[in-house]
Amino acid sequence: MMFGPAILARTLSIPSRIDEFGRSWQYHSRSDHHSKVACWGIIFDLMTTCPLLRRHVENGSVFFGINHEMRDFVHDRKKNLDLVLCTAGREEKKNKPLSLNSMTADLGILLDEVEAGQLESLPLLSRAPVGSVLMALEAKACMTAHQKALPRLYDELNSSHATVHGSNDQAIAAGFAMVNMSTEYLSPDRNKGANIDLRPSSHAQPKSAQITVDKLRQLPKRSRPGEVGYDAFAIVVVDCKNDGSAIKVVTGEPAPQAGDIFNYEAMIERLAHIYATRFKDID
């Protein structure tokens, strides 16, 4: 059973992003909160799915890093990845002590009883200075103005796998995109001001979400090291009005269905398989 999308929707349903006018939002494009929560859920599901990763964590061989800078050796470009699984490097600066468990409080992640019990049963995955990157995660969202935002979204995601593999071809590049399918959306950027009447933007749905999903499907994918593209990628569709009402995960189309390579569960299973075969010799 995969928990990530439900955890993401439940956590983001609580308005926690504060703008300059003191207004609370569930989602704000200038915050990386949604990306961190999405990556947390991916690692959580991967830990429950991949026995080898659990063993490496329990043995103290694998850790995680946040906002790790990777540099593409070929094109000399750099990019900060949301979260990486890694071996430990030398201590260069004092990072705040963190673990997958303690991040639930830092990120305001809301777990139900089953998820909390599952987390408690897992070995403690801790943060450490990044040595060798084993897996790099990049999470993005397209919540409003889909067609206008799509070129930049695609370019940012496309540059991520290139940077990861330009730095380390053996590293697993995993991507995640959250696409909004709500017909109305309160945009923080279009509702600036301390004393204004909030006005939602209207979207032609499911057309806008479908166009976005179709474009994300065009991102390059690879089946082995030496090729170009993501090793695994998931698209999750949500219904988010950003007005304080509960965010829902959309299970029908245009969300990728069971058996689709862009389905969330398929991504986790693929990541578990790649990790188990590519890094079986880690002590």
Side-chain angles (χ1 to χ4, degrees):
M1 182 178 180
M2 307 294 176
F3 302 105
I7 293 172
L8 179 64
R10 187 188 310 123
T11 300
L12 297 189
S13 289
I14 305 300
S16 62
R17 304 300 95 189
I18 312 298
D19 66 15
E20 63 267 41
F21 307 104
R23 188 177 292 115
S24 299
W25 300 95
Q26 296 163 297
Y27 173 90
H28 199 299
S29 61
R30 287 175 176 77
S31 168
D32 64 356
H33 180 245
H34 58 282
S35 298
K36 295 294 186 292
V37 176
C39 290
W40 189 98
I42 291 170
I43 295 300
F44 178 50
D45 281 329
L46 187 58
M47 287 274 288
T48 65
T49 305
C50 183
L52 182 62
L53 175 58
R54 289 198 301 275
R55 193 172 80 217
H56 286 165
V57 171
E58 194 168 30
N59 292 343
S61 301
V62 171
F63 302 85
F64 75 88
I66 299 174
N67 292 332
H68 175 63
E69 180 184 288
M70 298 190 74
R71 184 180 290 273
D72 181 346
F73 176 77
V74 178
H75 299 100
D76 194 24
R77 58 190 173 193
K78 58 186 179 181
K79 186 175 180 66
N80 287 347
L81 278 297
D82 292 319
L83 192 149
V84 299
L85 289 178
C86 59
T87 59
R90 291 188 302 173
E91 183 71 56
E92 296 178 353
K93 60 181 178 179
K94 292 294 183 181
N95 286 320
K96 179 182 178 181
L98 275 179
S99 68
L100 197 67
N101 299 54
S102 66
M103 283 178 69
T104 57
D106 285 13
L107 295 174
I109 291 173
L110 300 178
L111 304 178
D112 64 20
E113 188 175 345
V114 173
E115 294 157 356
Q118 184 66 46
L119 179 61
E120 191 65 27
S121 71
L122 296 173
L124 192 68
L125 177 62
S126 300
R127 183 181 185 181
V130 177
S132 177
V133 173
L134 307 177
M135 181 183 299
L137 303 178
E138 177 83 322
K140 296 292 183 183
C142 185
M143 304 301 284
T144 187
H146 294 68
Q147 288 182 273
K148 180 181 178 181
L150 196 50
R152 181 178 178 181
L153 174 69
Y154 185 91
D155 288 344
E156 288 180 347
L157 286 168
N158 199 34
S159 68
S160 293
H161 70 79
T163 303
V164 172
H165 294 141
S167 174
N168 180 359
D169 189 56
Q170 292 298 315
I172 300 170
F176 175 94
M178 177 173 66
V179 179
N180 192 15
M181 204 176 82
S182 176
T183 56
E184 290 190 341
Y185 179 79
L186 275 179
S187 169
D189 290 330
R190 293 188 176 185
N191 288 277
K192 291 184 176 180
N195 298 296
I196 62 171
D197 293 328
L198 300 180
R199 296 186 177 183
S201 303
S202 298
H203 300 130
Q205 298 290 11
K207 181 181 178 181
S208 293
Q210 184 70 67
I211 290 172
T212 306
V213 170
D214 288 345
K215 182 62 177 179
L216 292 173
R217 287 180 177 276
Q218 297 174 20
L219 284 164
K221 303 170 291 296
R222 73 176 193 169
S223 60
R224 62 179 66 86
E227 297 179 345
V228 175
Y230 277 102
D231 293 278
F233 196 97
I235 302 169
V236 169
V237 179
V238 299
D239 187 326
C240 172
K241 294 180 174 60
N242 211 25
D243 62 356
S245 59
I247 298 173
K248 300 176 182 178
V249 177
V250 176
T251 56
E253 295 182 347
Q257 302 298 292
D260 190 313
I261 60 172
F262 289 96
N263 177 269
Y264 180 84
E265 293 193 10
M267 178 198 69
I268 296 296
E269 291 170 354
R270 178 168 175 79
L271 288 177
H273 173 74
I274 296 174
Y275 186 95
T277 54
R278 195 169 298 177
F279 304 121
K280 61 181 182 296
D281 295 327
I282 291 178
D283 294 333

